Amino acid sequence: MNEIAPTPLKPKDFASDQEVRWCPGCGDYAILKAIQKTLADIGAEPENTVFISGIGCSSRLPYYMATYGFHTIHGRAPAIATGTKLANPELDVWVITGDGDGFSIGGNHMLHVLRRDVDMQILVFNNEVYGLTKGQASPTSRVGMRSPSTPLGSLDGPVNPCVFALAAGARFVARSADTLQKQLSPLLAEAQAHKGASFVEILQNCIIYNDGVFNEVTDKKTAPEHTLILEHGAPMVFGAEREKGLRVKPGGFGVEVVTLGDGIAESDLLVHDETNLDLANHLARLTGPDFPTVLGVLYRVPGESYEARVHEQLDAARTEVEADPHADIDALLHDGPVWRID
């Protein structure tokens, strides 16, 4: 008997029957669309896919996916996702969080899921504001931002999500933006293919409380002058006519923007090496108006993910116990210094 090949799923097959409740024009719609397209492109299986979120506008996303999902408590999505992945390593786990959820109350959890390197995709929707609770300044808000919580202007230095992830030990760190569909969806596929904690910062427009904060990056008229799309092994070129680039400052540390021509060729420019942690740290910090915002994979190195090491350790322990017919749990518990409290 001939076997009938399953029909490939389309992006709409990953959309649930729930009404999407975000503000009209919210950047979250574009990210949702990119995620559903990515799942179709990579041949994801809904029954083996789970989206886990915390609290915030972004964290409503699991409701809109025709997969498993878990809308958890504030900032704890990484902890729930870690337990999910350890219990069933075959699941494809995605964490959805925002800049407030992920880097304020959830900052501690974000730190540890990244340093442990649990195999999951962590998508941070960064709109630099608390949108769900009426527009207060968030951990990524810029200095001087006026909001209900900072009426005289924020004095706090903002968290840079990619720098945070690199410092925590993440082995896959990338950045994109909500409306850059041609770049975002393939980037999510690369994150999913990486074994370990894949961290993706997505610059997302909040049309109500922080509208236009990333216009230079997303507007087709200004983006070529203000963004640099990274490609491993390629020189760092940008500009409307691809006439600009980044090079190491002559005789010193750091990078500078140069214009090609007048004795400067592409061969003089920095070449992206996504395995170079120092370079990734430097690129993640670049910002306007003096530098372009860097998008794409900043850092990626292969390795064995956490849950694989956990199960190897458990298997070794089981083998050791099974090999010892006299194994005694009570003796183990009383091995070493013990005391009795009467």
Side-chain angles (χ1 to χ4, degrees):
M1 177 183 290
N2 294 330
E3 293 186 0
I4 301 175
T7 303
L9 297 178
K10 298 179 180 179
K12 64 181 179 61
D13 297 317
F14 290 94
S16 75
D17 60 357
Q18 298 297 298
E19 179 185 357
V20 181
R21 294 186 175 183
W22 284 316
C23 301
C26 175
D28 288 354
Y29 287 96
I31 301 174
L32 174 64
K33 177 182 175 183
I35 292 172
Q36 291 168 344
K37 180 180 185 307
T38 301
L39 295 183
D41 289 345
I42 64 177
E45 299 171 332
E47 65 273 22
N48 287 323
T49 304
V50 58
F51 284 81
I52 299 173
S53 66
I55 296 296
C57 295
S58 63
S59 293
R60 294 190 58 81
L61 187 136
Y63 294 114
Y64 311 137
M65 299 299 300
T67 64
Y68 287 105
F70 198 160
H71 190 184
T72 71
I73 56 178
H74 217 331
R76 269 59 171 182
I80 303 296
T82 297
T84 303
K85 187 66 179 179
L86 288 176
N88 187 351
E90 300 304 315
L91 284 176
D92 187 18
V93 178
W94 298 69
V95 168
I96 305 298
T97 184
D99 43 296
D101 183 64
F103 293 103
S104 184
I105 196 167
N108 185 43
H109 295 268
M110 183 70 78
L111 166 67
H112 295 296
V113 75
L114 291 173
R115 75 176 178 87
R116 286 178 180 135
D117 198 24
V118 186
D119 186 22
M120 62 180 70
Q121 297 71 248
I122 302 168
L123 311 187
V124 177
F125 295 20
N126 181 16
N127 55 19
E128 299 186 359
V129 73
Y130 280 104
L132 186 66
T133 48
K134 312 303 183 188
Q136 300 94 332
S138 86
T140 61
S141 295
R142 302 176 191 187
V143 173
M145 177 181 178
R146 293 180 182 272
S147 74
S149 63
T150 56
L152 300 181
S154 175
L155 299 175
D156 299 348
V159 171
N160 182 320
C162 287
V163 172
F164 180 101
L166 290 166
R171 292 189 294 105
F172 183 103
V173 177
R175 183 190 286 144
S176 187
D178 50 8
T179 57
L180 303 181
Q181 293 289 305
K182 289 185 178 178
Q183 190 237 1
L184 177 56
S185 186
L187 192 65
L188 297 181
E190 290 189 71
Q192 194 274 340
H194 176 81
K195 297 303 178 188
S198 303
F199 181 91
V200 183
E201 177 191 10
I202 305 173
L203 307 180
Q204 177 256 328
N205 192 46
C206 174
I207 196 168
I208 302 299
Y209 297 110
N210 210 12
D211 189 26
V213 69
F214 300 118
N215 271 358
E216 288 187 341
V217 175
T218 57
D219 190 304
K220 291 182 179 179
K221 295 179 180 177
T222 58
E225 297 293 333
H226 296 280
T227 60
L228 191 158
I229 308 295
L230 295 172
E231 182 182 349
H232 182 62
M236 298 185 193
V237 182
F238 69 104
E241 303 295 331
R242 295 187 62 76
E243 76 285 8
K244 299 179 182 177
L246 293 181
R247 74 171 182 181
V248 177
K249 286 182 177 178
F253 294 102
V255 301
E256 63 180 3
V257 175
V258 294
T259 301
L260 296 174
D262 295 331
I264 298 177
E266 277 198 8
S267 57
D268 297 316
L269 303 181
L270 267 170
V271 173
H272 185 44
D273 176 2
E274 61 187 23
T275 68
N276 187 324
L277 180 59
D278 291 333
L279 179 61
N281 268 301
H282 205 87
L283 295 173
R285 296 175 187 276
L286 297 183
T287 185
D290 298 327
F291 292 97
T293 297
V294 175
L295 306 175
V297 178
L298 282 76
Y299 185 63
R300 170 170 41 193
V301 290
E304 188 177 32
S305 58
Y306 181 73
E307 74 284 355
R309 287 180 277 127
V310 167
H311 283 274
E312 286 175 5
Q313 191 178 63
L314 290 174
D315 290 343
R318 291 191 188 96
T319 300
E320 185 176 341
V321 170
E322 290 169 359
D324 182 1
H326 304 295
D328 185 341
I329 186 65
D330 191 57
L332 176 64
L333 292 175
H334 290 83
D335 184 29
V338 295
W339 62 90
R340 179 190 298 275
I341 299 176
D342 295 320

